[in-house]
């Protein structure tokens, strides 16, 4: 039985860093994927699904919902260990609902928890813009500008209340204060994951 933890959080919340540090420390039992990585890995695998994904990406089109869900389920099933951390999903109520319906039919996957790394918009903005300022000229991430930050923040916050409510009702939502130093955040998330597997 695969135990699945979904990580959500605003841009700049640190969720990817947190999850990757935990997975690296416990590589014998925990693996971490981001949604983008999974799509790229599926393309690289040369599978039929990968070819379909590449077709959408190469045209600059959004990968359809059912394909993203299939890719995540495929990655979970093929994961080398039984505990899977996925960050950046769900990003919409449609993704959440579609995923919930499919996981309900999967005998070998249990959605153990949804961990929200919570930061205020102010903290998220300072981190993202700070990251842009620290990056050497020409090397900064293209998504680290103020306009792009507000766009990404809106995409995250618009469905957030519904996502929180949905997982709270299922008693799956765990909120972690992401406004602290890295070490205590990682330690809290690590303890929570280890206590629930």
């Amino acid at each position: 039985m695969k135990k699945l933890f979904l990580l959500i959080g605003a841009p700049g919340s640190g969720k990817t860093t947190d999850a990757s540090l935990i997975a690296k420390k416990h590589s014998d039992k925990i693996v971490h994927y981001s949604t983008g990585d999974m799509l790229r890995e599926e393309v690289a695998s040369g599978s039929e699904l990968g070819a379909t994904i590449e077709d959408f990406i190469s045209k600059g089109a959004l990968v359809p919902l059912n394909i993203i869900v299939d890719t995540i389920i495929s990655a979970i099933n093929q994961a080398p260990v039984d505990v899977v951390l996925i960050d950046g999903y769900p990003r919409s109520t449609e993704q959440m609902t579609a995923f919930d319906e499919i996981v309900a039919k999967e005998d070998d996957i249990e959605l153990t928890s949804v961990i929200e790394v919570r930061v205020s918009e102010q903290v998220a903005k300072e981190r993202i813009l700070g990251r842009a300022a620290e990056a050497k000229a020409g090397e900064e991430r293209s998504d680290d500008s103020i306009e792009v930050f507000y766009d990404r923040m809106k995409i995250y916050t618009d469905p957030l209340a519904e996502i929180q409510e949905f997982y709270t009702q299922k008693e799956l939502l765990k909120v972690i204060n992401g406004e602290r130093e890295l070490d205590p955040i990682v330690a809290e998330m690590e303890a929570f994951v280890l206590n629930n597997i």
Side-chain angles (χ1 to χ4, degrees), residues 17-62:
T17 303
D18 303 336
S20 58
L21 287 169
I22 293 166
K24 197 176 286 180
K25 185 174 171 185
H26 300 281
S27 58
D28 58 324
K29 59 179 170 256
I30 300 173
V31 68
H32 163 242
Y33 300 119
S34 75
T35 320
D37 289 346
M38 284 189 284
L39 291 172
R40 285 186 286 276
E41 280 174 24
E42 194 64 49
V43 170
S45 77
S47 69
E48 199 176 314
L49 180 60
T52 307
I53 293 165
E54 188 168 35
D55 193 41
F56 283 99
I57 293 172
S58 65
K59 293 175 185 157
L62 284 174

Side-chain angles (χ1 to χ4, degrees), residues 86-114:
I86 295 179
D87 80 73
Y89 192 92
R91 291 174 189 259
S92 67
T93 50
E94 292 80 14
Q95 287 186 355
M96 172 187 76
T97 309
F99 191 71
D100 190 63
E101 286 170 3
I102 287 180
V103 169
K105 296 177 197 149
E106 291 277 334
D107 293 334
D108 298 330
I109 300 172
E110 174 195 297
L111 177 54
T112 307
S113 183
V114 177

Side-chain angles (χ1 to χ4, degrees), residues 2 31 33 38-39 41-42 69-81 84 86:
K2 296 285 171 68
V31 68
Y33 300 119
M38 284 189 284
L39 291 172
E41 280 174 24
E42 194 64 49
V69 173
D70 286 350
T71 304
I72 293 175
I73 296 292
S74 169
I76 296 166
N77 282 325
Q78 291 167 30
V81 292
V84 183
I86 295 179

